[in-house]
Amino acid sequence: METINEVQDEIIEEFSGFDDWMDKYQLLIDMGSGQEPLPEEYKTEQNLIDGCQSRVWLQADYREGRVVFRAESDALIVKGIVDLLVRVLNGHTPQEILDADLYFIDRIGLKEHLSPTRSNGLVAMLKQMKMYALAFKAKEETV
């Protein structure tokens, strides 16, 4: 399994082929479009992320010491953004997720090219993913 940083470096490489942000947005849309839909049973109020203008559902499960994320959004660009986050953090231990420095967000220029509402949504998605990791880590320590 690739490390979080290896996946981030792959994403940076994928985005480095584009100079124009319209092309990068299209790449995000394409990534989101290729995403497997989240089963309807997970599209619940509990899985909706607060702080996102569009609707984003995030499901996290804990399997064999690793966090498994699945997500979906009803907005094309946001769907691509959440797909990137899942791609980077999915399948890692709670501690790896908590320790992760997600430098790819700045390196591909994502933060500076998002509207304030999408940027807030990105922060909310990351915060929720780290909260799941923290909860699974705490659960791990009580066993």
Side-chain angles (χ1 to χ4, degrees), residues 71-110:
E72 190 175 333
S73 173
D74 60 2
L76 292 174
I77 290 175
V78 177
K79 199 174 189 177
I81 293 168
V82 76
D83 183 62
L84 285 177
L85 295 176
V86 167
R87 188 170 146 195
V88 170
L89 297 175
N90 191 42
H92 290 281
T93 67
Q95 192 62 56
E96 288 170 335
I97 293 166
L98 292 169
D99 292 343
D101 168 24
L102 299 182
Y103 57 83
F104 83 96
I105 294 167
D106 287 328
R107 296 244 183 101
I108 65 174
L110 192 56

Side-chain angles (χ1 to χ4, degrees), residues 1-2 5 8 10 17 32 36 39 48 66 72 80 128 130 133:
M1 173 176 219
E2 291 179 302
N5 287 352
Q8 290 189 91
E10 281 176 15
E36 195 175 306
L48 268 176
R66 299 189 177 275
E72 190 175 333
Q128 187 61 48
K130 292 215 176 207

Side-chain angles (χ1 to χ4, degrees), residues 6-130:
E6 286 170 341
V7 176
Q8 290 189 91
D9 292 342
E10 281 176 15
I11 291 168
I12 292 166
E13 183 66 29
E14 289 167 23
F15 276 83
S16 72
F18 302 99
D19 294 325
D20 183 353
W21 255 93
M22 293 314 288
D23 294 332
K24 291 182 182 189
Y25 284 131
Q26 188 57 53
L27 180 58
L28 276 173
I29 291 168
D30 292 345
M31 288 175 167
S33 299
Q35 185 183 62
E36 195 175 306
L38 189 67
E40 288 300 317
E41 68 206 59
Y42 297 125
K43 290 184 181 180
T44 64
E45 199 66 36
Q46 179 186 333
N47 285 345
L48 268 176
I49 295 181
D50 289 331
C52 290
Q53 186 176 11
S54 51
R55 292 167 22 125
V56 178
W57 296 271
L58 178 68
Q59 171 67 28
D61 296 298
Y62 191 59
R63 295 191 192 121
E64 298 171 13
R66 299 189 177 275
V67 184
V68 178
F69 290 109
R70 291 191 287 178
E72 190 175 333
S73 173
D74 60 2
L76 292 174
I77 290 175
V78 177
K79 199 174 189 177
I81 293 168
V82 76
D83 183 62
L84 285 177
L85 295 176
V86 167
R87 188 170 146 195
V88 170
L89 297 175
N90 191 42
H92 290 281
T93 67
Q95 192 62 56
E96 288 170 335
I97 293 166
L98 292 169
D99 292 343
D101 168 24
L102 299 182
Y103 57 83
F104 83 96
I105 294 167
D106 287 328
R107 296 244 183 101
I108 65 174
L110 192 56
K111 224 175 210 173
E112 66 194 61
H113 286 92
L114 291 178
S115 66
T117 54
R118 281 198 187 120
S119 196
N120 289 343
L122 171 66
V123 170
M125 287 182 254
L126 271 173
K127 183 177 171 190
Q128 187 61 48
M129 292 173 102
K130 292 215 176 207

